[in-house]
Amino acid sequence: MKKSTIVIVLALMISVFSCSTKDKSSITTVSVEEMQTLMALENVQLVDVRTPIEHKVGHIANSQNIDYNSPTFDDDITKLDKDKPVILYCQKGGRSAKCADKLLEAGFKKIFDLKGGFSEWEHVDLKLNL
């Protein structure tokens, strides 16, 4: 019963957020709770855009680290699948918002940005990979 509810919610979220135009409406800011639901999808790409040092100190489980400030950032994001949903987070939300804009320009279709970043995730006290 719980799985079917999650599937229904995810299907609704995807249908609401799947926009083919390349505008800000293609980037969705999500709460920690909404992010948990999105992470239940098999094809989601969870990306931590903080520095490797920040990532090493603590990060959300199963996230890949692509440093927004790295000189190789633009090349690094090309390794992501443009057709799969991408969830971004940084420490508080600034870098991930900038990264979301770059992904949008690069043709990514479904971009989600964690409101409040890793700080908010820690505050809500969810499962961390430290």
Side-chain angles (χ1 to χ4, degrees):
M1 176 91 163
K2 189 175 183 179
K3 284 185 179 183
S4 63
T5 303
I6 290 173
V7 170
I8 291 169
V9 169
L10 290 174
L12 288 172
M13 288 178 70
I14 289 171
S15 67
V16 168
F17 298 137
S18 62
C19 179
S20 61
T21 60
K22 291 186 177 185
D23 59 21
K24 289 285 186 179
S25 65
S26 297
I27 301 170
T28 306
T29 303
V30 294
S31 68
V32 169
E33 293 79 12
E34 291 168 323
M35 184 171 149
Q36 279 187 298
T37 303
L38 288 169
M39 287 171 47
L41 294 171
E42 289 181 27
N43 291 329
V44 74
Q45 301 168 98
L46 179 59
V47 180
D48 180 343
V49 299
R50 300 174 304 153
T51 66
I53 293 170
E54 289 173 299
H55 185 80
K56 187 174 182 176
V57 169
H59 60 273
I60 300 171
N62 301 316
S63 64
Q64 57 182 307
N65 185 218
I66 301 177
D67 183 358
Y68 178 76
N69 294 317
S70 168
T72 62
F73 174 79
D74 290 332
D75 290 331
D76 294 341
I77 63 170
T78 63
K79 296 173 185 147
L80 297 171
D81 187 336
K82 291 181 181 182
D83 295 320
K84 292 182 181 178
V86 179
I87 303 173
L88 303 168
Y89 74 92
C90 61
Q91 191 61 35
K92 296 191 183 214
R95 286 174 282 182
S96 60
K98 292 175 187 174
C99 178
D101 289 338
K102 283 194 172 200
L103 291 179
L104 187 63
E105 290 172 14
F108 284 78
K109 303 204 182 345
K110 295 177 189 146
I111 306 162
F112 301 93
D113 186 9
L114 176 60
K115 181 179 180 182
F118 188 70
S119 294
E120 184 67 20
W121 183 270
E122 285 182 305
H123 178 72
V124 175
D125 195 29
L126 297 171
K127 185 178 178 183
L128 300 177
N129 182 12
L130 300 173

